[in-house]
Amino acid sequence: MTLSVSLRADRPVPLEVAFEVAPGELLALVGHSGSGKTTILRSIAGLWTPSSGQVRAGGTVWLDTGAGIDLAVHRRSIGFVFQSYALFPHMTALGNVLTAMATPDRAEAARLLDLVNLHGLADRKPAQLSGGQQQRVALARALARKPSVLLLDEPFSAVDRATRERLHAEIIALRSHLAMPVVLVTHDMNEAQLLADRMLVIQNGRLVREGTTAQVMADADALRAMGIREVAALLPAVIAGIEEDGLTRLDTATGPIFLPGVQGDPGTRLRVRIMAHEIILSRARPTGLSAQNILPARVTKLTQGDGPAVTVHLSVGEAELLARITRRAARDLALAPGDRVHAVLKAMSVARDHIAPASRHV
């Protein structure tokens, strides 16, 4: 079922947003602290009521202030993962999951713990689990409600970077089992880009940009709203194997690229986040360079922002790549929409946390 949201409020922050989330889609609400992201999530969950608005899950109305409808939290079919996890400290992992079930089912609770990679830890209490493991229990508990909508409120902010990377991969893998709309609140644009199908950039309670991850990350205004100076794009790829020099070969729509430290079996689909400033453009196919990653591309658009830089939008198969070059370089190359070029990427320029499994929407 599709989640439809339309909200207006004056307090605690001005709020004016409207959006939809399709079944199986992950939508990221991104913005600075105090921008209204969590207020939106709480409005969907029924934890806070706006001045006016509507929330619908499929054909079921959860909120319609004009009609006087405001269902209580327990009557809304949601799974909610809080930033603090909010686990019961005196209960085991299994006990925490069982509390969310209308009819407790130990076998089903154990299955959910296995689904989030907690096999063998059902009898441990939260204090005996790492932060990442506690987050997985909270996720299993949210799924135990068999929700129509899954809400994630900064679920990775309390864990270290290495754990966060593992959890990102697990969330994406888990999505193959989920058919409900998923709404993620985060202040981290990199996290949103790796996990989400679409982003909403929220500023002072209002929607300032909406689009796919590629569209938002290519929008200078949206990035400025988040205080981000750099742009990036996601390149879909498939692991082909390990080369003799230790680099992993990834096949893309227009050719192979070779990167270090990529984990996964041959055939695994990935999304590689490539920073725009790491791309070098050439009219002719370069020769005599140490760079092995040379992708044929077509220029679709040039965006000139403030300062000396130009963002070149490139079509690479069905994906969009972004290159950030100087105005002088763009002028010397005489670039125009429709031109064929070669995009060169240094293998060592892609960090490990810029690689994530592909979602089914990619």
Side-chain angles (χ1 to χ4, degrees):
M1 64 178 63
T2 297
L3 173 68
S4 300
V5 178
S6 177
L7 306 171
R8 289 179 61 90
D10 297 321
R11 305 171 106 184
V13 296
L15 195 63
E16 186 174 352
V17 295
F19 58 87
E20 290 189 345
V21 192
E25 181 182 28
L26 194 154
L27 176 74
L29 305 180
V30 295
H32 295 298
S33 297
S35 63
K37 308 183 303 297
T38 295
T39 301
I40 294 170
L41 214 62
R42 288 170 57 84
S43 299
I44 296 171
L47 296 169
W48 185 79
T49 303
S51 304
S52 64
Q54 296 179 336
V55 177
R56 287 186 171 87
T60 304
V61 178
W62 290 352
L63 171 71
D64 187 335
T65 54
I69 299 173
D70 186 6
L71 298 188
V73 178
H74 70 275
R75 296 183 59 195
R76 302 190 188 197
S77 180
I78 60 162
F80 204 132
V81 179
F82 296 89
Q83 182 175 346
S84 62
Y85 311 144
L87 300 177
F88 295 111
H90 64 288
M91 292 185 177
T92 63
L94 184 69
N96 269 278
V97 176
L98 287 170
T99 61
M101 294 180 165
T103 303
D105 184 332
R106 294 181 66 87
E108 175 62 10
R111 186 191 71 81
L112 289 171
L113 290 174
D114 288 347
L115 184 64
V116 296
N117 294 321
L118 286 177
H119 180 73
L121 301 179
D123 293 331
R124 293 193 184 183
K125 294 182 179 180
Q128 299 171 302
L129 299 171
S130 68
Q133 289 167 340
Q134 291 181 49
Q135 194 270 358
R136 294 185 184 99
V137 175
L139 181 57
R141 184 179 61 182
L143 295 175
R145 296 196 65 197
K146 297 182 179 179
S148 300
V149 176
L150 180 62
L151 306 176
L152 308 175
D153 187 10
E154 300 272 11
F156 313 111
S157 61
V159 296
D160 60 75
R161 178 173 176 174
T163 301
R164 187 159 58 246
E165 290 177 17
R166 290 196 298 271
L167 292 172
H168 287 168
E170 290 180 7
I171 285 289
I172 297 173
L174 178 65
R175 287 186 58 198
S176 64
H177 301 277
L178 305 179
M180 77 280 284
V182 182
V183 182
L184 166 70
V185 159
T186 180
H187 64 274
D188 188 336
M189 290 283 275
N190 296 339
E191 180 172 275
Q193 189 179 22
L194 283 173
L195 298 179
D197 301 303
R198 284 191 301 126
M199 292 188 206
L200 303 185
V201 180
I202 308 297
Q203 189 175 34
N204 298 324
R206 288 178 171 80
L207 176 63
V208 297
R209 186 65 167 93
E210 176 181 5
T212 65
T213 54
Q215 290 169 337
V216 173
M217 293 303 290
D219 187 319
D221 291 336
L223 296 181
R224 273 195 292 271
M226 290 296 297
I228 296 174
R229 296 179 178 272
E230 186 53 272
V231 293
L234 294 176
L235 182 65
V238 179
I239 294 179
I242 307 296
E243 301 292 299
E244 292 182 0
D245 59 4
L247 294 178
T248 301
R249 171 176 168 149
L250 304 179
D251 288 338
T252 75
T254 60
I257 59 175
F258 302 87
L259 301 175
V262 179
Q263 303 296 319
D265 297 324
T268 301
R269 296 172 62 241
L270 302 170
R271 297 191 293 177
V272 182
R273 184 170 183 267
I274 298 176
M275 306 302 291
H277 72 272
E278 298 287 358
I279 298 290
I280 300 170
L281 297 182
S282 174
R283 283 281 191 177
R285 184 177 179 85
T287 59
L289 292 176
S290 61
Q292 301 181 58
N293 302 326
I294 303 173
L295 296 175
R298 180 175 58 84
V299 177
T300 59
K301 183 172 66 171
L302 290 91
T303 304
Q304 189 166 297
D306 299 331
V310 173
T311 300
V312 183
H313 301 245
L314 303 165
S315 175
V316 180
E318 295 183 355
E320 182 181 48
L321 203 60
L322 302 172
R324 190 83 159 163
I325 62 176
T326 64
R327 294 185 185 182
R328 177 178 296 180
R331 184 177 62 248
D332 291 345
L333 290 168
L335 295 177
D339 287 352
R340 297 286 177 176
V341 295
H342 290 83
V344 182
L345 169 68
K346 291 187 293 185
M348 301 305 294
S349 67
V350 179
R352 282 187 58 198
D353 62 346
H354 286 182
I355 301 170
S359 77
R360 55 182 166 171
H361 287 264
V362 174

